[in-house]
mmCIF file of all heavy atoms in Angstrom:
data_model
loop_
_atom_site.group_PDB
_atom_site.id
_atom_site.type_symbol
_atom_site.label_atom_id
_atom_site.label_comp_id
_atom_site.label_asym_id
_atom_site.label_seq_id
_atom_site.Cartn_x
_atom_site.Cartn_y
_atom_site.Cartn_z
ATOM 1 N N ASP F 91 -32.497 17.367 42.907
ATOM 2 C CA ASP F 91 -31.614 17.202 44.023
ATOM 3 C C ASP F 91 -30.510 16.233 43.668
ATOM 4 O O ASP F 91 -30.774 15.126 43.140
ATOM 5 C CB ASP F 91 -32.406 16.658 45.226
ATOM 6 C CG ASP F 91 -31.491 16.185 46.356
ATOM 7 O OD1 ASP F 91 -30.875 17.047 46.969
ATOM 8 O OD2 ASP F 91 -31.463 14.972 46.628
ATOM 9 N N GLY F 92 -29.269 16.621 43.940
ATOM 10 C CA GLY F 92 -28.139 15.725 43.625
ATOM 11 C C GLY F 92 -27.758 15.714 42.147
ATOM 12 O O GLY F 92 -27.309 14.681 41.650
ATOM 13 N N TYR F 196 -24.084 5.552 51.072
ATOM 14 C CA TYR F 196 -24.042 7.003 50.801
ATOM 15 C C TYR F 196 -23.806 7.206 49.338
ATOM 16 O O TYR F 196 -22.816 6.743 48.786
ATOM 17 C CB TYR F 196 -22.940 7.686 51.611
ATOM 18 C CG TYR F 196 -22.983 9.217 51.498
ATOM 19 C CD1 TYR F 196 -23.847 9.932 52.321
ATOM 20 C CD2 TYR F 196 -22.197 9.876 50.601
ATOM 21 C CE1 TYR F 196 -23.883 11.311 52.222
ATOM 22 C CE2 TYR F 196 -22.254 11.231 50.470
ATOM 23 C CZ TYR F 196 -23.107 11.948 51.275
ATOM 24 O OH TYR F 196 -23.135 13.331 51.161
ATOM 25 N N GLY F 198 -24.596 10.369 47.690
ATOM 26 C CA GLY F 198 -24.383 11.787 47.247
ATOM 27 C C GLY F 198 -25.591 12.514 46.815
ATOM 28 O O GLY F 198 -25.499 13.706 46.381
ATOM 29 N N ALA F 199 -26.751 11.896 46.816
ATOM 30 C CA ALA F 199 -28.016 12.609 46.552
ATOM 31 C C ALA F 199 -28.921 12.312 47.742
ATOM 32 O O ALA F 199 -29.239 11.171 48.011
ATOM 33 C CB ALA F 199 -28.680 12.196 45.245
ATOM 34 N N MET F 200 -29.379 13.373 48.414
ATOM 35 C CA MET F 200 -30.139 13.159 49.629
ATOM 36 C C MET F 200 -31.319 12.251 49.422
ATOM 37 O O MET F 200 -31.611 11.360 50.269
ATOM 38 C CB MET F 200 -30.605 14.557 50.132
ATOM 39 C CG MET F 200 -31.296 14.481 51.471
ATOM 40 S SD MET F 200 -31.926 16.125 51.930
ATOM 41 C CE MET F 200 -32.241 15.847 53.659
ATOM 42 N N TYR F 216 -26.374 15.044 57.149
ATOM 43 C CA TYR F 216 -25.383 15.950 56.626
ATOM 44 C C TYR F 216 -25.143 16.911 57.785
ATOM 45 O O TYR F 216 -25.900 17.857 57.943
ATOM 46 C CB TYR F 216 -25.803 16.649 55.366
ATOM 47 C CG TYR F 216 -24.554 16.982 54.541
ATOM 48 C CD1 TYR F 216 -24.262 16.306 53.395
ATOM 49 C CD2 TYR F 216 -23.672 17.998 54.971
ATOM 50 C CE1 TYR F 216 -23.123 16.602 52.675
ATOM 51 C CE2 TYR F 216 -22.506 18.268 54.286
ATOM 52 C CZ TYR F 216 -22.255 17.563 53.105
ATOM 53 O OH TYR F 216 -21.083 17.856 52.380
ATOM 54 N N LYS F 226 -24.589 21.790 55.071
ATOM 55 C CA LYS F 226 -24.711 22.099 53.601
ATOM 56 C C LYS F 226 -26.169 22.214 53.168
ATOM 57 O O LYS F 226 -26.455 23.002 52.229
ATOM 58 C CB LYS F 226 -24.014 21.014 52.813
ATOM 59 C CG LYS F 226 -24.204 21.173 51.317
ATOM 60 C CD LYS F 226 -23.562 20.079 50.458
ATOM 61 C CE LYS F 226 -23.764 20.317 48.963
ATOM 62 N NZ LYS F 226 -23.190 19.249 48.143
ATOM 63 N N LEU F 227 -27.066 21.432 53.725
ATOM 64 C CA LEU F 227 -28.418 21.334 53.165
ATOM 65 C C LEU F 227 -29.297 22.473 53.577
ATOM 66 O O LEU F 227 -29.112 23.057 54.647
ATOM 67 C CB LEU F 227 -28.987 19.969 53.614
ATOM 68 C CG LEU F 227 -28.129 18.752 53.170
ATOM 69 C CD1 LEU F 227 -28.842 17.454 53.595
ATOM 70 C CD2 LEU F 227 -27.877 18.748 51.704
ATOM 71 N N ARG F 228 -30.263 22.793 52.694
ATOM 72 C CA ARG F 228 -31.122 23.951 52.886
ATOM 73 C C ARG F 228 -32.358 23.518 53.676
ATOM 74 O O ARG F 228 -32.995 22.496 53.355
ATOM 75 C CB ARG F 228 -31.537 24.544 51.518
ATOM 76 C CG ARG F 228 -30.610 25.522 50.874
ATOM 77 C CD ARG F 228 -29.283 25.088 50.338
ATOM 78 N NE ARG F 228 -29.141 23.751 49.843
ATOM 79 C CZ ARG F 228 -28.182 23.401 48.984
ATOM 80 N NH1 ARG F 228 -27.353 24.307 48.579
ATOM 81 N NH2 ARG F 228 -28.077 22.128 48.623
ATOM 82 N N GLU F 232 -34.758 21.091 51.408
ATOM 83 C CA GLU F 232 -34.254 19.745 51.670
ATOM 84 C C GLU F 232 -34.629 19.302 53.158
ATOM 85 O O GLU F 232 -35.379 18.343 53.338
ATOM 86 C CB GLU F 232 -32.748 19.672 51.495
ATOM 87 C CG GLU F 232 -32.336 19.857 50.038
ATOM 88 C CD GLU F 232 -30.860 20.273 49.841
ATOM 89 O OE1 GLU F 232 -30.405 21.262 50.509
ATOM 90 O OE2 GLU F 232 -30.156 19.607 49.029
HETATM 91 P P1 P6P W 1 -21.631 16.028 49.024
HETATM 92 C C1 P6P W 1 -26.655 17.311 46.543
HETATM 93 O O1 P6P W 1 -25.764 18.262 46.021
HETATM 94 C C2 P6P W 1 -26.877 17.629 47.981
HETATM 95 O O2 P6P W 1 -27.463 18.888 48.118
HETATM 96 C C3 P6P W 1 -27.762 16.547 48.647
HETATM 97 O O3 P6P W 1 -28.636 15.989 47.767
HETATM 98 C C4 P6P W 1 -26.724 15.555 49.158
HETATM 99 O O4 P6P W 1 -27.131 14.896 50.339
HETATM 100 C C5 P6P W 1 -25.458 16.421 49.417
HETATM 101 O O5 P6P W 1 -25.661 17.626 48.666
HETATM 102 C C6 P6P W 1 -24.201 15.712 48.944
HETATM 103 O O6 P6P W 1 -23.132 16.574 49.263
HETATM 104 O O7 P6P W 1 -20.787 16.971 49.845
HETATM 105 O O8 P6P W 1 -21.541 14.596 49.527
HETATM 106 O O9 P6P W 1 -21.360 16.120 47.526
#
Side-chain angles (χ1 to χ4, degrees):
D91 169 67
Y196 187 81
M200 185 184 195
Y216 207 107
K226 174 181 181 182
L227 303 181
R228 277 65 35 157
E232 293 161 308

